[in-house]
Amino acid sequence: MTDRELVRMALEARAQAYAPYSGFAVGAAILCGNGVVYTGCNIENASYPCGICAERVAASKAISEGRRDFSALAVAGSSAALCTPCGLCRQFLCEFAPRLRVLCANQAGAFEEHMLSELLAAGFDGASMA
Ligand code: THU
C-alpha cells in the first residue's frame, strides 16, 4: 500500500459521506499493521455536535475489528485546500498511535505528510494521569 493508494482510498470514501449541513464531504483511510485499510466518511446530524469526522469513523471501524496498530492515515476533503484533522480527531488518534503518519489531501489528490506528534504537540495521554 503506497501513500498515493491510501490517499486514493480516502478520496473514494467521500462517496459515502453524509454531509447535508456543511456540504463538505470528507473521506479517510487508515492503514493497520497487517496491511488492512479501514475507510470512513464524515456523518453529520441535525443535532450538529452529534456529527462525527471521517477519521474517527475509520479508526473506530478498525478498533472495533481488533486493530489498533495504525501506521498511516490519509484524510481527503472536497476543496483545493489540504484537509487536516480537527483537534478532536488528533486527540482521538493520539490515544492509539502517537507516531502516526498523517497524509492530508485535497480533492485533486495532492497531499502533504505530517506526523501526528507534530499536529498535536504535548497531547494528553494516560501518562498525564500517572
Ligand atoms: N470533517 C472531517 O470529517 N474531517 C476533518 O478532518 C475536518 C472536518 C468534517 C466534519 C463536518 O462534517 C465537515 O467536515 C465540516 O466541518
Side-chain angles (χ1 to χ4, degrees):
M1 174 63 54
T2 66
D3 286 354
R4 188 153 295 284
E5 288 169 337
L6 198 63
V7 166
R8 176 54 49 192
M9 291 183 78
L11 284 163
E12 289 173 358
R14 295 178 307 162
Q16 309 305 328
Y18 178 73
Y21 303 103
S22 72
F24 188 70
V26 182
I30 195 160
L31 176 63
C32 300
N34 61 351
V36 174
V37 175
Y38 293 87
T39 60
C41 60
N42 54 333
I43 305 171
E44 298 184 348
N45 192 281
S47 176
Y48 289 10
C50 288
I52 183 168
C53 293
E55 298 94 312
R56 275 176 289 139
V57 170
S60 296
K61 283 169 68 178
I63 294 161
S64 67
E65 296 293 331
R67 307 302 315 191
R68 300 176 193 159
D69 52 344
F70 308 140
S71 57
L73 173 136
V75 55
S78 298
S79 69
L82 301 178
C83 189
T84 55
C86 77
L88 201 59
C89 287
R90 295 176 196 200
Q91 178 65 34
F92 186 94
L93 293 164
C94 183
E95 178 73 20
F96 303 100
R99 286 182 295 279
L100 188 67
R101 290 192 311 119
V102 182
L103 310 174
C104 303
N106 70 5
Q107 62 184 2
F111 65 94
E112 282 180 1
E113 176 181 331
H114 295 278
M115 296 302 293
L116 182 58
S117 56
E118 162 205 342
L119 296 175
L120 183 71
F124 186 83
D125 61 14
S128 306
M129 290 186 288

